[in-house]
Amino acid sequence: MSDSKGAAAQNSKTFYITTTLPYVNAEPHVGFATELIRADVIARVKKLQGYEVFFNTGTDEHGQKLFDAAQKEGKDVQDYVDGFAERFKGLKEVLGVSEDIHFIRTTDAQHIKAAEAFWKRCDQNGYIYKKTYQAKYCVGCELEKTDSELVDGRCPIHPGKDLEIIDEENYFFKMSEFGDKLLAYYAENPNFVVPDFRFNEIKSFVERGLQDFSISRLKEKMSWGIPVPGDDKHVMYVWFDALTSYISTLGWNGEDADGASDSLFNKFWKNGTPTQYCGKDNLRQQSATWQAMLMAAGLPNSHQIVIDGFLTGEGGIKMSKSIGNVVNPYDIVAEYGTDALRYFCVAELSSFEDSPFTPERFKESYNAKLANGIGNLTNRVMKMAETYLVEAGEQDVIPEQSLAAQYAEYFALYDSYDLVKVSAYIWKHVEEANLIIQNEQPFKLVKENPEKGKEIIRDLVVRLYTIAEMLAPIIPSTSEKIKAAVRANKMPAEALFMRKD
């Protein structure tokens, strides 16, 4: 990123954030749901800070994995991906994601046009060539694997899948020419990858030397993909195709010098702060491969890459659709509700390290933090307010200052993307309110000293309202219910969270 772009980004009031695009070869699982929820939290925070936000997600719908899965079920590939794409699109409502989120599919005509234009740019700039080669290929990762990456001859992420041996003539991307350029970019942007230890990983990887990689497959062997411009015997490698989605969703198609000055691409990517959430298995693709591709096409790089850890199931094994140990977010929400899942994914799972997600742990957190925590505090405070703040003006306690004016520290915590720390900060305020009730016992004091008792109750209502405001990006529905109760000076019509035994 040039200095001028960095300065423009700092002064910009636009913000772009995208998740990765999951494969649509199975039902959504809670690992991707976590990524989507966390990105949504950041999008909501930026809106509270006055930014115009472009929030993107979608589905990756090309590649050998999907072709094989459709054939196995005896379905047309397009019909197969259409069905699963709808399930992923349905996460918007199920997870309470911002209504204005954009959803890109790599089978969309808009995306296909952009992917073709991107290929042509890289080719015209001299970064694509053709050669015959041999390689070991993991269909589960849709990636080539070197012997050093294998464990007992298998991919450690997909040990149940046999490696495919590729021996054919393909197009290649000159990744080897971008090592120094990437390292220079990393040096100019010391916060490019979050957290720091993942940034150190990718810098070490690039320093060891980069290899060119194949970006096409023979159509006769794998027909489900975007044809290579000018050579319909080949289709684009799925990663080269899918990564382009981050700009195709903004309408980029390579025309008119990357779009008019008021285009979404210029507004949110070229002159904005494009930020990407992904899992740690995407570290290389997002923070090295994609950045080199952008350089090859003469386009601005991403602003920041945020790397999540894996979710693990029973026995500490990584959740994986291929292993079959996944948890379906639809099932969790059906039993506990949307905000319960949002809270757990943000507050109880490590922001950057691997974390266990088990039914037992989820229920324990739900009862302790939501039913007995936020829910109980709201009931206790609003019961006192409804009973004792009954005279004109007594219930008018909503803070006049905005949340931003009151809690600059709260918003600053989001800059690190450590949402567990943000949640702990909010929880500290919940505990402080509970301690006031325990130590001051305003429900008793108000009978002996009405003025003092009401003063404490009013303070508790202000604290509750502020807590609700801080919770808004994380559990928006619950936040609004609490604020509505304060405005009406009544207990919520129904319990916010019912304890699960």
Side-chain angles (χ1 to χ4, degrees):
M1 181 184 296
S2 67
D3 290 342
S4 60
K5 184 186 177 201
Q10 290 177 2
N11 295 327
S12 173
K13 289 300 285 185
T14 63
F15 181 77
Y16 173 94
I17 188 166
T18 183
T19 69
T20 51
L21 271 58
Y23 280 117
V24 288
N25 64 324
E27 285 282 315
H29 68 76
V30 76
F32 176 67
T34 299
E35 182 179 314
L36 183 55
I37 289 167
R38 289 174 175 178
D40 182 56
V41 169
I42 298 299
R44 289 174 181 272
V45 167
K46 290 297 182 180
K47 290 175 185 176
L48 287 174
Q49 292 177 301
Y51 285 80
E52 182 180 357
V53 174
F54 191 104
F55 179 21
N56 179 68
T57 190
T59 44
D60 184 354
E61 301 180 16
H62 291 130
Q64 188 68 41
K65 188 174 359 181
L66 297 178
F67 183 78
D68 291 346
Q71 282 199 322
K72 185 177 181 180
E73 294 194 16
K75 293 182 178 180
D76 174 78
V77 190
Q78 187 65 60
D79 291 341
Y80 179 84
V81 298
D82 285 348
F84 279 122
E86 283 302 309
R87 291 291 282 173
F88 279 92
K89 203 168 185 177
L91 291 176
K92 170 182 171 180
E93 181 177 355
V94 170
L95 302 180
V97 173
S98 304
E99 292 185 1
D100 57 354
I101 189 172
H102 296 256
F103 193 93
I104 186 77
R105 297 178 60 181
T106 58
T107 53
D108 289 343
Q110 170 188 337
H111 171 74
I112 292 171
K113 184 177 181 180
E116 291 171 342
F118 193 90
W119 178 289
K120 291 177 182 177
R121 279 282 190 92
C122 293
D123 189 22
Q124 290 166 1
N125 291 341
Y127 294 108
I128 293 177
Y129 66 97
K130 203 174 185 181
K131 77 169 185 178
T132 300
Y133 83 118
Q134 292 182 331
K136 296 174 182 177
Y137 189 81
C138 173
V139 175
C141 294
E142 296 280 14
L143 291 171
E144 296 173 17
K145 296 291 178 177
T146 62
D147 289 338
S148 63
E149 294 176 300
L150 304 178
V151 177
D152 297 328
R154 291 181 174 271
C155 170
I157 299 176
H158 300 94
K161 289 184 177 291
D162 292 331
L163 293 173
E164 178 183 325
I165 305 300
I166 298 174
D167 185 358
E168 61 187 44
E169 186 178 47
N170 286 171
Y171 287 92
F172 274 70
F173 177 68
K174 293 183 180 179
M175 185 75 175
S176 58
E177 294 196 13
F178 291 93
D180 290 343
K181 295 175 184 177
L182 286 170
L183 291 173
Y185 179 71
Y186 298 157
E188 293 169 3
N189 297 273
N191 298 313
F192 177 59
V193 175
V194 178
D196 287 344
F197 66 88
R198 296 293 179 206
F199 201 8
N200 291 335
E201 282 183 30
I202 196 61
K203 284 187 281 191
S204 296
F205 171 75
V206 174
E207 286 168 352
R208 289 194 295 270
L210 299 174
Q211 302 295 317
D212 298 349
F213 66 93
S214 169
I215 56 173
S216 76
R217 298 295 302 274
L218 283 172
K219 190 173 183 179
E220 65 184 37
K221 294 184 178 181
M222 207 292 292
S223 61
W224 187 241
I226 299 175
V228 168
D231 189 347
D232 60 6
K233 292 182 179 180
H234 288 258
V235 297
M236 292 184 197
Y237 171 51
V238 63
W239 277 102
F240 199 88
D241 150 25
L243 289 168
T244 311
S245 67
Y246 302 140
I247 57 175
S248 71
T249 192
L250 294 168
W252 184 88
N253 58 20
E255 298 176 355
D256 302 325
D258 304 326
S261 60
D262 60 347
S263 70
L264 291 176
F265 174 78
N266 279 312
K267 185 176 185 179
F268 289 99
W269 192 280
K270 190 173 182 180
N271 300 317
T273 53
T275 301
Q276 295 157 228
Y277 249 102
C278 65
K280 68 180 185 181
D281 54 343
N282 264 240
L283 173 63
R284 293 182 187 180
Q285 290 85 347
Q286 305 296 336
S287 57
T289 303
W290 173 228
Q291 305 312 312
M293 288 167 58
L294 287 164
M295 290 174 178
L299 299 177
N301 288 99
S302 305
H303 173 69
Q304 206 161 32
I305 311 293
V306 185
I307 310 292
D308 283 338
F310 286 150
L311 296 193
T312 58
E314 299 292 346
I317 300 173
K318 173 187 176 289
M319 279 193 184
S320 168
K321 288 180 283 189
S322 59
I323 296 174
N325 64 339
V326 299
V327 175
N328 191 316
Y330 280 88
D331 296 338
I332 294 288
V333 170
E335 183 174 358
Y336 289 93
T338 294
D339 277 3
L341 179 57
R342 288 180 66 96
Y343 177 83
F344 188 84
C345 291
V346 170
E348 300 293 341
L349 300 176
S350 171
S351 297
F352 309 120
E353 301 280 7
D354 293 356
S355 295
F357 191 116
T358 63
E360 295 76 18
R361 187 172 178 228
F362 188 93
K363 181 189 287 188
E364 180 181 348
S365 169
Y366 174 89
N367 284 332
K369 296 297 182 67
L370 298 180
N372 295 342
I374 299 295
N376 189 46
L377 175 64
T378 300
N379 289 340
R380 295 173 79 185
V381 172
M382 293 316 301
K383 175 63 176 177
M384 290 186 287
E386 183 178 353
T387 302
Y388 298 109
L389 302 184
V390 295
E391 297 178 14
E394 285 186 325
Q395 73 278 16
D396 186 15
V397 295
I398 297 175
E400 292 182 4
Q401 284 186 308
S402 68
L403 182 61
Q406 294 182 81
Y407 288 108
E409 182 182 5
Y410 162 78
F411 283 109
L413 286 171
Y414 281 103
D415 292 341
S416 69
Y417 293 91
D418 192 340
L419 300 185
V420 171
K421 284 187 177 179
V422 174
S423 303
Y425 179 86
I426 299 171
W427 196 254
K428 181 181 69 174
H429 288 266
V430 173
E431 292 176 333
E432 288 174 355
N434 276 322
L435 278 174
I436 289 171
I437 296 173
Q438 177 182 320
N439 295 334
E440 303 292 338
Q441 298 187 332
F443 49 88
K444 292 182 179 179
L445 181 61
V446 73
K447 298 174 184 177
E448 304 165 2
N449 186 339
E451 183 176 346
K452 182 63 175 177
K454 288 181 180 181
E455 180 183 340
I456 295 174
I457 294 171
R458 280 194 295 272
D459 173 67
L460 286 167
V461 176
V462 171
R463 289 172 179 270
L464 179 64
Y465 192 89
T466 303
I467 289 168
E469 283 200 309
M470 289 192 287
L471 286 170
I474 301 171
I475 47 176
S477 178
T478 299
S479 168
E480 188 50 48
K481 288 176 182 177
I482 296 172
K483 289 191 286 186
V486 172
R487 289 191 290 265
N489 198 46
K490 292 184 178 296
M491 288 183 63
E494 56 184 29
L496 298 179
F497 300 99
M498 297 294 293
R499 182 178 172 82
K500 304 287 185 178
D501 295 321

